[in-house]
């Protein structure tokens, strides 16, 4: 009784008496009353199903109603049909089907009949009776004590007063599809039956006055298990809903027991004589006798006088409180229908218990519970009524505030943790920022991260808590979660750990989550582990490895030059990440630009040279900057080397690089480098490659290498004739005895006719050591050649004059004397000439038809026309050249910028043509002939040929 008294009481149901509906005149409001003598009742499918034991007279038909089953719908309009001739003893209305099963008697004696009614089908206005069969087991007469039907219509169990249980398996609505058998025989009356369905397993609970048993109906032979050795009275057992795991409830006078199919569950000490037990929407409904003693009992001796009152209690077993308690007069039964509980009493009244809505219950209860600080009970109540998360969060918050104010910070943080997702985290964090409460704050922040609701600030705060507490184990557990379970901002965590000095943890986090920049920054700037940083870069994909080497290459080169150089060699040739064996070939051909890494080698010339030489060997098409830098390096090393052997080797290496052909596009740059380092052979080689012959000669002149000057003229004089002239001028300016070299130059000038004799004399006049004997042979030879040339020119002139005279005579003859045509053959077909014929002054004759066929012009001889055209073309070209020369002279005289005019005509090639004409030895003589005479002579010469 003590346990019962500890349960708190609430009023979660509103009690009202059912009243009659208003009549046509609007009158109503009187309590509704059923006929007296309710013997059996049940509910379902929208009606209360009743049987009245005592016969009464129907006011409409003045008949005695016996064996009638009555239906009371929500409209309170009673209806009935004749089910039995005498009486009805049991009713069972299925909740999911319009099937009513009844047990009653049609004749006197113990012979109960079971009838199955289909309420949706009619037979003469009454429900259709689909099946009738006797209830007694075998031929032994006994009274039916209880009845239950499975909602799947495949099982029906009937209990008897002699302890027997009859089981019907199959379709209970038909005889042919079902089988009835005796499940058990006993000596104690059966007081309760209940089916329990769990998955595909069906159990039947059987309770008598002395024991409780469980049968497995889904297994052959129906094995059973005795659960307890005490029972209960009639109507004192029920089956709970899934909220209590479908447990079988048995109410004894001392306790209420709950049973699973294979064991006994919890029990509750609810004392008192139990009369009725039902389960309704998670509540246990118990009707028991009111054992209160009247005040007169104190004066009436020891005999207690009991009242006729009955107490109805509605228990919430989960939350352990009484949801409603009230006293009634002589309760017949409690039925559940239309979402409410209906209490039927002997006086015919119907009392309805309407459960309050969840919000009203919670508001009323929370108000009282909060005043009494019964937060746990409020939470359980809210959960059992499926309060939304917002409502639950508010209860947790108030509970947490209550515990916090009491100083129970550990308990408070647990309640605040339950508000995560609803309550703003800053509300909780502000309360626990004190250093003494850092443990509580850490617990809250951990849960916040586990639910993936933390932001970067929360991560920072949690990590700072770990570092303040120096809790390395928790810190490692936090950061070493699997990648799919990461619930924090990784970059923020790395920053905090680095700032706190937990470098190893920060590095682990950066490596695990591929924050390459942070990993390298910590390794290089904080830990100073350059080898590890270099190894890590070697494992990165190409793009990331390239960018990080550009960023950190100088630092790595300073501390680990050899290893860094090797990695750069790989990166710029055929890079594959270390340990990447699967994707070999995928990155094939990905190479970094080696020129971009040259700045990395600042102050590391030895490694730079090794890197550049490697690149030129394995990658011939390396960028030009690689070759330029390598050339500069080799020239520097050559210039500063003191050892002659090594210097010679470096000299050969530099010259070999120059001769590799990689400096054609950067000729000037290579030349400047060689000049800066005074690399003589390289300068001369580049002059030669650039056809800068004058520079070669000037180089030798500056060094006073006379033989080299002569050699240059001999080698390149044919390509650039002015070299000999410059050499002559060079030697002429020398005050030393250079007769030998001057003689060699003059000999070549004479052979090639490169300079006029007068210019030679003028050039050598500046040399005080050059006497007449030096140029004597040159002048003699030159004068002799000119004499011979003059003789040849005079002979040619005489020949041209004679030829001109002859041609003029022919012209005069053609003009003054007749021309006799004596040709006998056609000049085209060579056949005998016949009239009509065509004759030309040149002496050619043609058949008229041959002339018309082959001639292109009526006025020209077909035979002479090709040669004549050549002559006319030559004359026209000479006239054009003459006109062009005149025009050039005119523009040159009138222009303010004569150089631009010369450049313009030079671009047209005019000077090239003039040079060709003037270079001829007989050019001066040829220019003395008249233009007209040349044309006539040329035409005549062509004709004669």
């Amino acid at each position: 009784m003590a346990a019962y008294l500890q349960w708190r009481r609430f009023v979660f149901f509103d009690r009202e008496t059912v009243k009659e509906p208003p009549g046509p005149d609007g009158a109503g409001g009187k309590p509704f009353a059923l006929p007296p003598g309710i013997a059996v009742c049940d509910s379902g499918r929208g009606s209360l199903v009743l049987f009245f034991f005592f016969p009464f007279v129907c006011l409409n038909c003045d008949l005695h109603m016996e064996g009638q089953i009555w239906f009371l719908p929500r409209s309170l309009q009673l209806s009935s049909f004749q089910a039995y001739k005498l009486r009805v003893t049991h009713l069972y209305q299925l909740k999911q089907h319009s099937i009513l099963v009844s047990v009653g008697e049609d004749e006197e004696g113990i012979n109960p009949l079971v009838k199955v009614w289909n309420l949706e089908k009619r037979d003469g206005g009454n429900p259709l009776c689909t099946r009738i069969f006797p209830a007694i087991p075998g031929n032994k007469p006994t009274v039916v004590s209880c009845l239950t039907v499975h909602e799947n219509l495949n099982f029906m169990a009937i209990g008897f007063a002699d302890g027997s249980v009859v089981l019907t398996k199959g379709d209970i609505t038909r005889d042919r599809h079902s089988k009835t058998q005796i499940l058990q025989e006993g000596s104690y009356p059966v007081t309760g039956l209940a089916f329990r369905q769990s998955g595909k397993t069906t159990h039947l609970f059987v309770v008598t006055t002395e024991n409780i048993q469980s049968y497995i109906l889904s297994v052959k032979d129906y094995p059973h298990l005795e659960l307890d050795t005490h029972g209960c009275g009639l109507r004192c057992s029920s089956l709970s809903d899934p909220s209590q795991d479908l447990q079988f409830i048995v109410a004894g006078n001392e306790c209420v027991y709950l049973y699973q199919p294979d064991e006994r569950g919890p029990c509750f000490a609810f004392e008192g004589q139990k009369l009725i037990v039902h389960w309704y929407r998670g509540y246990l409904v118990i009707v028991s006798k009111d054992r209160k003693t009247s005040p007169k009992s104190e004066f009436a001796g020891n005999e207690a006088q009991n009242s006729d009152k009955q107490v109805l209690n509605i228990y919430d077993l989960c939350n352990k409180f009484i949801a409603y308690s009230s006293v009634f007069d002589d309760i017949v039964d409690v039925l559940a229908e239309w979402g409410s509980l209906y209490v039927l009493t002997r006086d015919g009244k119907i009392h309805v218990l309407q459960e309050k809505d969840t919000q009203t219950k919670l508001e009323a209860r929370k108000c009282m519970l909060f005043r009494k600080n019964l937060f746990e009970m409020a939470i359980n109540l809210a959960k059992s009524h499926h309060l939304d998360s917002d409502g639950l969060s508010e209860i947790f918050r108030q509970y947490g505030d209550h515990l916090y104010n009491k100083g129970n910070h550990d308990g408070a943080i647990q309640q605040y943790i339950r508000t995560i997702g609803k309550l703003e985290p800053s509300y909780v964090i502000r309360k626990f920022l004190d250093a003494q409460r850092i443990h509580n704050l850490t617990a809250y922040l951990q849960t916040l991260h586990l639910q993936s609701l933390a932001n970067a600030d929360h991560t920072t705060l949690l990590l700072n808590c770990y570092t303040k507490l120096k809790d390395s184990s928790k810190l490692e557990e936090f950061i070493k979660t699997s990648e799919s379970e990461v619930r924090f901002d990784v970059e923020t965590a790395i920053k905090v750990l680095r700032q706190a000095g937990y470098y190893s943890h920060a590095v682990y986090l950066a490596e695990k989550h591929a924050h390459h920049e942070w990993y390298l920054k910590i390794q290089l700037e904080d830990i100073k582990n350059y080898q590890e940083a270099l190894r890590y870069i070697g494992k990165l994909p190409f793009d990331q490895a390239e960018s990080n080497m550009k960023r950190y290459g100088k630092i790595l080169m300073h501390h680990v030059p050899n290893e860094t150089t090797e990695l750069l060699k790989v990166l710029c040739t055929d890079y594959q990440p270390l340990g990447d064996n699967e994707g070999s070939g995928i990155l094939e051909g990905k190479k970094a630009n080696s020129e971009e890494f040259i700045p990395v080698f600042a102050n590391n010339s030895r490694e730079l040279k090794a890197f550049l030489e490697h690149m030129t060997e394995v990658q011939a098409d390396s960028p030009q900057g690689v070759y330029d830098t390598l050339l500069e390096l080799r020239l520097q090393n050559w210039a500063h080397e003191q050892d002659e052997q090594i210097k010679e080797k470096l000299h050969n290496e530099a010259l070999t690089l120059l001769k590799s052909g990689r400096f054609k596009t950067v000729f000037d740059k290579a030349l400047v480098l060689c000049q800066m380092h005074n690399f003589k052979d390289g300068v001369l080689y580049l002059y030669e490659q650039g056809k800068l012959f004058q520079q070669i000669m000037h180089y030798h002149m500056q060094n006073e290498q006379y033989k080299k000057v002569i050699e240059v003229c001999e080698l390149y004089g044919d390509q650039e004739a002015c070299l000999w002239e410059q050499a002559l001028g060079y030697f002429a300016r020398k005050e030393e005895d250079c007769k030998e070299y001057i003689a060699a130059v003059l000999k070549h000038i004479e052979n090639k006719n490169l300079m006029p004799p007068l210019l030679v004399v003028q050039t050598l006049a500046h040399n005080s050591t050059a006497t007449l004997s030096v140029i004597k042979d040159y002048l003699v030879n030159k004068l002799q050649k000119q004499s011979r040339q003059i003789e040849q020119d005079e002979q040619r002139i005489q020949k041209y004059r004679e030829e001109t005279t002859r041609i003029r005579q022919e012209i005069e003859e053609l003009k003054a004397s007749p021309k006799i045509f004596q040709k006998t053959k056609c000049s085209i077909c060579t056949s005998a000439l016949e009239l009509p014929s065509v004759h030309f002054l040149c002496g050619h004759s043609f058949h008229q038809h041959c002339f018309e066929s082959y001639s292109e012009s009526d006025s020209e001889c077909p035979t002479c026309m090709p040669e004549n055209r050549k002559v006319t073309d030559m004359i026209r070209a000479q006239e054009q050249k003459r006109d062009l020369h005149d025009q050039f002279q005119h523009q040159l005289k009138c222009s303010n910028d004569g150089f631009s005019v010369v450049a313009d005509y030079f671009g047209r090639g005019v000077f090239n043509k003039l040079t060709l004409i003037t270079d001829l030895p007989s050019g001066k003589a040829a220019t003395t002939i008249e233009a007209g005479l040349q044309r006539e002579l040329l035409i005549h010469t062509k004709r004669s040929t």
Side-chain angles (χ1 to χ4, degrees), residues 44-61:
R45 308 301 291 178
S47 296
L48 304 183
V49 186
L50 310 166
F51 170 72
F52 300 96
F53 181 72
F54 298 104
F56 62 92
V57 178
C58 179
L59 299 177
N60 297 327
C61 56

Side-chain angles (χ1 to χ4, degrees), residues 121-174:
K121 297 182 180 180
R122 294 290 167 176
D123 182 14
N126 295 330
L128 176 64
C129 182
T130 62
R131 184 180 181 187
I132 303 175
F133 64 93
I136 59 174
N139 297 323
K140 182 170 64 173
T142 182
V143 177
V144 175
S145 58
C146 54
L147 167 70
T148 187
V149 181
H150 199 293
E151 286 293 334
N152 64 11
L153 300 178
N154 286 327
F155 293 100
M156 179 169 60
I158 304 173
F160 295 90
D162 65 351
S164 301
V165 176
V166 173
L167 176 68
T168 300
K169 184 177 180 181
D171 190 353
I172 64 169
T173 63
R174 299 181 182 181

Side-chain angles (χ1 to χ4, degrees), residues 289-304:
K289 284 188 177 182
D290 185 6
R291 303 284 300 176
K292 292 181 180 179
T293 304
S294 64
K296 294 181 180 180
S297 63
E298 297 178 2
F299 306 96
N302 295 329
E303 293 183 3

Side-chain angles (χ1 to χ4, degrees), residues 715-754:
L715 288 173
Y716 311 116
D718 293 339
Q719 301 179 46
E720 196 164 345
C722 63
L723 293 178
W724 291 103
E725 298 177 12
Q726 295 177 9
L728 182 63
Y730 169 74
F731 289 122
R733 289 190 298 273
K734 289 294 181 179
E735 295 300 327
E736 303 173 9
D737 187 5
C738 299
K739 295 180 181 180
E740 179 183 354
Y741 304 109
I742 293 174
V745 173
L746 288 175
K747 182 179 180 180
H748 192 84
I749 290 175
E750 178 186 357
N751 294 335
K752 297 294 184 180
N753 193 25
L754 298 177

Side-chain angles (χ1 to χ4, degrees), residues 226-250:
E226 186 175 21
L227 301 177
D228 217 332
T229 57
H230 61 80
C232 65
L234 285 171
R235 301 198 298 174
C236 289
S237 62
S238 182
L239 190 71
S240 69
D241 60 17
S243 67
Q244 279 292 332
D245 199 20
L246 296 173
Q247 297 186 90
F248 187 55
I249 301 171
V250 177

